[in-house]
Amino acid sequence: MARRTRDDWTAVALRALAEGGVPAVAVEPLAARLGATKGSAYWHFPNRAALLAATLERWEREHTEAVIGLVEAVPDPLDRLRLLFGTVLERAGDAAVEAAMLAARDDPAVAPVLRRVTDRRVEYLTGLFGELGFAPGTARRRALLAYSVYVGQVHLLVAAPHVTGDRQALLEEALAAVTGRG
């Protein structure tokens, strides 16, 4: 049996979260998926709560901070916004994780992470709209509208992927709507 790392455990836990929500992040079924023993999990995490916390931290790092890092490499704010929208609207596999997080918004382990991530994302978007020349209040409202488009797309990708149609056209329409630049 191969030695499993902390990263192996959080990766499989993130997939389980996407497939079955927070309850699916359970040591025994994850061990079976990894071909590992429960002891391997407890070597890295003192309990299931610690495994879930590490998984949520990974989600935050990969689905927010890494995406922002990718986008920040682009100098023009409109191009950054286009890349951001394109990245998040095209990641259909990530939609299931986002949907699971939103569904678990009342879970005491999930709620503070979801709030922090949402605040970070809206703050980042607000800054982008500010760089595009919008006044602070308008930038904030546009950021909320842009984030709402994202959350709606997450819902559609999970609940009714057949209705999403041409995602590139959707991207361009969404950008035109939130920036006022057709």
Side-chain angles (χ1 to χ4, degrees):
M1 200 175 288
R3 183 169 231 170
R4 300 298 176 200
T5 66
R6 195 177 158 82
D7 192 54
D8 293 332
W9 281 97
T10 59
V12 74
L14 198 56
R15 284 192 304 276
L17 178 69
E19 295 164 5
V22 172
V25 181
V27 172
E28 195 165 331
L30 295 179
R33 286 174 81 161
L34 278 173
T37 65
K38 291 189 301 183
S40 171
Y42 295 120
W43 175 261
H44 299 290
F45 308 98
N47 53 41
R48 182 220 179 238
L51 171 60
L52 178 59
T55 302
L56 297 175
E57 288 169 12
R58 181 182 182 140
W59 170 74
E60 180 175 8
R61 190 174 57 253
E62 290 180 357
H63 293 240
T64 300
E65 296 307 325
V67 173
I68 289 172
L70 169 77
V71 170
E72 276 299 299
V74 176
D76 179 70
L78 185 58
D79 289 341
R80 266 186 274 154
L81 189 60
R82 176 173 278 108
L83 177 60
L84 180 62
F85 263 62
T87 300
V88 299
L89 293 179
E90 284 299 318
R91 289 178 151 184
D94 292 352
V97 176
E98 296 286 332
M101 294 296 290
L102 291 168
R105 68 190 168 279
D106 294 329
D107 182 287
V110 173
V113 177
L114 185 60
R115 181 181 180 103
R116 186 171 60 242
V117 164
T118 300
D119 288 348
R120 172 72 169 117
R121 290 171 175 178
V122 171
E123 171 191 304
Y124 182 74
L125 285 165
T126 300
L128 274 179
F129 283 106
E131 287 184 57
L132 288 169
F134 291 99
T138 303
R140 171 88 174 162
R141 287 187 298 278
R142 299 254 175 173
L144 291 171
L145 177 61
Y147 196 66
S148 296
V149 168
Y150 168 66
V151 171
Q153 182 68 5
V154 163
H155 173 76
L156 287 175
L157 286 170
V158 172
H162 63 282
V163 302
T164 59
D166 180 354
R167 290 200 191 119
Q168 185 60 41
L170 175 65
L171 166 65
E172 294 304 323
E173 288 287 335
L175 281 171
V178 298
T179 63
R181 299 174 183 184

